[in-house]
Amino acid sequence: MREAVGDAVPANRPGRGRRPAARESILDAIRASEPLSRVELAAMTGLTEAAVSMTVRRLLEEGLVVETGRTPTGGKPRTLLRLDPAARLAVGVYLDRDTTTYVLTGQTGGVISRLARPAPTGDLLEHLTTDIGTLLAGSGVDRARCLGVGVVWPGPRGSMARFDDAPPHLRGWDSEELGQRLAAGTGWPVLVENDATAAAVGEYWVARVGPEQAFAALYMGSGIGAGIVVEGRAMRGGHGAAGEFGHVCVQVDGPECWCGSRGCLEILAGPRTVVTAARTDPVAAAEAGLDPSAGRGVAADFAAVARAARAGAPRCLGLLEDSARYVAAAAESVVNLLDIDLVVLTGPGFAAASFVYGPAIMRRVSDADTRTWGRSVTVTVSLAAATASATGAAALVLQSHLRR
Amino acid sequence: MREAVGDAVPANRPGRGRRPAARESILDAIRASEPLSRVELAAMTGLTEAAVSMTVRRLLEEGLVVETGRTPTGGKPRTLLRLDPAARLAVGVYLDRDTTTYVLTGQTGGVISRLARPAPTGDLLEHLTTDIGTLLAGSGVDRARCLGVGVVWPGPRGSMARFDDAPPHLRGWDSEELGQRLAAGTGWPVLVENDATAAAVGEYWVARVGPEQAFAALYMGSGIGAGIVVEGRAMRGGHGAAGEFGHVCVQVDGPECWCGSRGCLEILAGPRTVVTAARTDPVAAAEAGLDPSAGRGVAADFAAVARAARAGAPRCLGLLEDSARYVAAAAESVVNLLDIDLVVLTGPGFAAASFVYGPAIMRRVSDADTRTWGRSVTVTVSLAAATASATGAAALVLQSHLRR
DNA sequence: GGACTTCGTTCAGTAGCTTAAGAATGTGGG
DNA sequence: CCCACATTCTTAAGCTACTGAACGAAGTCC
């Protein structure tokens, strides 16, 4: 029902036999904690050693996994297994407002090559197809190894039509349709996802988060969202629109939000709000070098404010700290509601300003934490926050394929 | 890892074969939409008709399912299948502050018999064991049909020790330990869960919610919590402490909460706050007939306030409406964050006051809904809100067993 | 060199599904 | 009444992914 566009793996595979559970759990265990030996895999997955042995043999034959080294024990040494990074590839595309970013990643999520283009003015589909071709050709890899394409755009899946401020080149598109037509054009399966969920899956994949951790990725781009991964599965909600972190209410009677509600995080503390405040405050605008008459877009201006704050500009720092108070409160709500263990800040916004937001969230969460809940939540910043969406899109493809 | 106390069903059952997926999906489909024929089951579950046929035969032999009636078609009529309500039983126990409620339910969640006792002053375990015995003996059912005992207490799983206002008879207990010792004492498997999650599972079970609905049960007892069920699975979070709806922040710089944070829903709008406000406001206290010097406990006083409000008392109504504004905002946060389709109000608090909270939540959610998100969230009140915890506890047992 | 330890594989058996064919049970037409 | 026809359900054979148990492999220690 809720499988993504182009996902070629129905829940109950027709034909003979069922979807092998061993394959998925073994690959996921190796991904999260490589290198691992077969005995360790058996212990971690709960499978028998025999089952592990057979499944691993198949994975070795397929080239997904390689044996690398051994560790001495009392008896026969363990043979260590890793994912072969180059065995399978995936393309991730991030359709930002003014830039389209393409990445080609290997099986472990590492970026092999990258391409950035200005947002297309002509036919979106044509641009995507040719740019993906360029990316692959330029990196000289075997196209047959590529598993598919992940596409991320800002905002939830579905139609862009209902958003007033949709980027012009995306206006009128529907994510399902885009996915299907791109799949038809390129011949690869295409997954479409929102930026925050993709970033969460990417982080889960690249940062070796285990399925035992309840995990939330807070994503700040031109808006603010959250991707939530529990028990190794991304939460997409009833209609693929989960993660609207920006519309968590942090002030009952706050200002009206464009969504029709009041006091949403987005309107109180979103990047657009921060930038607007900076543009209209002469001091802050001067600190950040903003041109109040001709803003260069939310993302760029937000980054400028963050740079200024980092360099010591007090007014810009103040604006960010105001915003961070709200974000921290909303983050705490999410942590409390879902019993989250790990919060990762990611996306271009947090990439620029995590030095303010990170400590603010950590303070707010840890206060109640140790005192009341007897847990400890970790708050970190993604290592590749700026490009998290695109690599996340690629990780989506890897995940969906390796779970086959 | 995160299986509950006494749960006899590990994720990968040792021994021969795997956990049969067909059994679970068939039982769940019948539960949600009985009566169903075998062909319909095949269509709904994605299994083949042969698999359905075989699995159903086993279920018939076990007595879990019965054939009841047929519907004409063009050819051979369909044989309709239902759960046999009395085939399996479960006991649910709700350890409230001053009352302990016991229910015995059948397989469909219907209550067969009920027992209420004042909270024990002596040995908790002994009281539980004998009362459960009394309940079963009094209803004259076959003890062998009983699958187990579900126990619900206010607050998350784990130790009660860290809560200052824990009821005296529960103080010092840890949920794991209680479950294990009760299991040892009675010989039945025992599951322990918090009130909100149990109520959510109960509602999911009894109200025939399907797994395609993302579902949140908001529970108001002496505190306020949420149980979240997505894709048919209760979300328990990293440490079984998910659902702390009461500690969603609805006002960044709101008053300090006992949890160590600020502006939590609980402190702004929880039943305790409402009751305190009513006790200290002479007008409201008079309307509700509260004795300001000797409150009868939060639950009772809250119910009194709600009764007065329903009868037209303006001050009490005002207090509830104030509270409802906050609850509605927090509910909206949850709906937006998790893309929830269905919100059910349950627990004694909402049982008494849903006439205020229901419309308030509905208004707030539906405003942004149709305008922005193109979805439609349903807000309803549980049919058995007052006893939802106890029946939910029983439903937990049914669910865990039938998923074997 | 042989006992011991630990790791990994092989082999037979089984549960839970599949596909494919057929049996059961109704309807409607001559 | 009997015979197509439609539809539902069952049976039979086979495949796959596992399990358990025994065995082979590759080291260490004495």
Side-chain angles (χ1 to χ4, degrees), chain A residues 274 278 281 283-285 287-288 302 304-325 352-357 359-360 363:
Chain A
V274 172
D281 175 345
V283 181
E287 284 177 353
F302 184 87
V305 171
R307 268 196 308 276
R310 182 158 227 163
R315 204 65 155 258
C316 284
L317 185 60
L319 287 175
L320 291 180
E321 281 174 340
D322 281 350
S323 164
R325 271 178 42 242
S354 65
F355 69 101
V356 175
Y357 289 90
R363 261 196 314 274

Side-chain angles (χ1 to χ4, degrees), chain B:
Chain B
M1 286 297 145
R2 224 161 300 123
E3 294 285 336
V5 179
D7 196 329
V9 187
N12 271 304
R13 190 165 39 164
R16 36 218 144 75
R18 276 178 297 171
R19 178 209 311 234
R23 186 189 167 95
E24 175 176 338
S25 29
I26 287 176
L27 280 171
D28 208 56
I30 298 181
R31 172 197 66 74
S33 344
E34 72 177 9
L36 288 173
S37 71
R38 292 170 177 80
V39 253
E40 290 169 312
L41 281 169
M44 291 175 68
T45 58
L47 298 162
T48 60
E49 294 175 9
V52 171
S53 195
M54 287 192 307
T55 311
V56 166
R57 180 174 46 226
R58 236 167 305 183
L59 294 174
L60 286 167
E61 283 163 7
E62 293 177 50
L64 292 182
V65 160
V66 286
E67 297 187 334
T68 83
R70 6 190 84 211
T71 39
T73 61
K76 173 172 173 176
R78 302 175 171 177
T79 327
L80 297 179
L81 300 164
R82 285 180 186 278
L83 294 182
D84 178 0
R88 297 289 186 275
L89 309 170
V91 173
V93 181
Y94 179 33
L95 298 169
D96 204 355
R97 304 190 79 82
D98 31 42
T99 317
T100 304
T101 311
Y102 302 83
V103 296
L104 177 66
T105 77
Q107 206 180 197
T108 49
V111 174
I112 295 174
S113 72
R114 189 188 312 267
L115 185 66
R117 288 281 155 95
T121 51
D123 181 15
L124 176 61
L125 214 55
E126 197 181 304
H127 275 275
L128 286 175
T129 313
T130 58
D131 287 347
I132 291 171
T134 311
L135 178 77
L136 281 165
S139 51
V141 296
D142 180 6
R143 290 175 69 101
R145 285 192 179 168
C146 181
L147 297 174
V149 180
V151 178
V152 162
W153 71 11
R157 296 203 289 217
S159 172
M160 261 292 169
R162 62 176 186 272
F163 295 100
D164 296 340
D165 65 339
H169 63 296
L170 301 181
R171 194 161 304 182
W173 277 100
D174 175 279
S175 63
E176 298 276 315
E177 190 194 343
L178 177 61
Q180 271 160 12
R181 292 186 50 191
L182 188 57
T186 60
W188 279 305
V190 174
L191 300 175
V192 183
E193 189 55 75
N194 74 61
D195 46 12
T197 303
V201 172
E203 193 69 20
Y204 178 77
W205 198 258
V206 175
R208 312 265 158 105
V209 180
E212 72 288 351
Q213 294 218 57
F215 164 62
L218 306 185
Y219 185 94
M220 196 191 295
S222 54
I224 188 162
I228 296 161
V229 177
V230 177
E231 292 176 22
R233 312 188 63 82
M235 301 213 30
R236 299 193 164 87
H239 311 97
E244 283 298 346
F245 183 63
H247 299 277
V248 163
C249 173
V250 284
Q251 196 169 298
V252 184
D253 289 316
E256 196 166 339
C257 177
W258 58 263
C259 78
S261 188
R262 294 190 156 277
C264 295
L265 177 62
E266 183 90 40
I267 200 74
L268 283 164
R272 184 177 303 274
T273 304
V274 172
V275 165
T276 305
R279 282 177 188 157
T280 49
D281 174 344
V283 181
E287 284 177 352
L290 300 184
D291 180 351
S293 61
R296 289 157 305 167
V298 173
D301 282 1
F302 183 86
V305 171
R307 268 196 307 277
R310 181 157 229 165
R315 206 62 156 258
C316 283
L317 185 61
L319 287 175
L320 291 179
E321 281 174 341
D322 280 350
S323 164
R325 273 178 41 243
Y326 290 101
V327 174
E332 189 187 27
S333 295
V334 175
V335 166
N336 283 337
L337 194 64
L338 299 174
D339 192 15
I340 296 285
D341 298 297
L342 174 63
V343 176
V344 177
L345 305 183
T346 188
F350 286 125
S354 64
F355 69 102
V356 175
Y357 288 90
I361 296 173
M362 208 148 2
R363 261 197 312 276
R364 172 130 196 168
V365 170
S366 66
D367 266 10
D369 241 22
T370 40
R371 191 191 311 191
T372 307
W373 308 114
R375 69 186 173 202
S376 89
V377 179
T378 309
V379 180
T380 64
V381 181
S382 168
L383 291 175
T387 57
S389 290
T391 53
L396 278 167
V397 175
L398 294 172
Q399 184 162 52
S400 94
H401 189 86
L402 298 185
R403 283 196 171 165
R404 205 179 34 159

Side-chain angles (χ1 to χ4, degrees), chain A residues 80-152:
Chain A
L80 297 179
L81 300 164
R82 286 179 185 278
L83 294 183
D84 177 0
R88 297 288 185 276
L89 309 170
V91 173
V93 181
Y94 179 34
L95 298 168
D96 204 356
R97 303 190 81 80
D98 30 42
T99 315
T100 304
T101 311
Y102 302 83
V103 296
L104 176 66
T105 77
Q107 204 179 197
T108 47
V111 174
I112 295 173
S113 73
R114 190 189 312 266
L115 184 67
R117 288 281 155 94
T121 50
D123 181 16
L124 176 62
L125 214 56
E126 198 181 304
H127 272 88
L128 286 175
T129 313
T130 57
D131 286 347
I132 292 171
T134 311
L135 178 77
L136 281 165
S139 51
V141 297
D142 180 4
R143 289 175 69 101
R145 284 189 178 169
C146 180
L147 297 174
V149 179
V151 178
V152 161

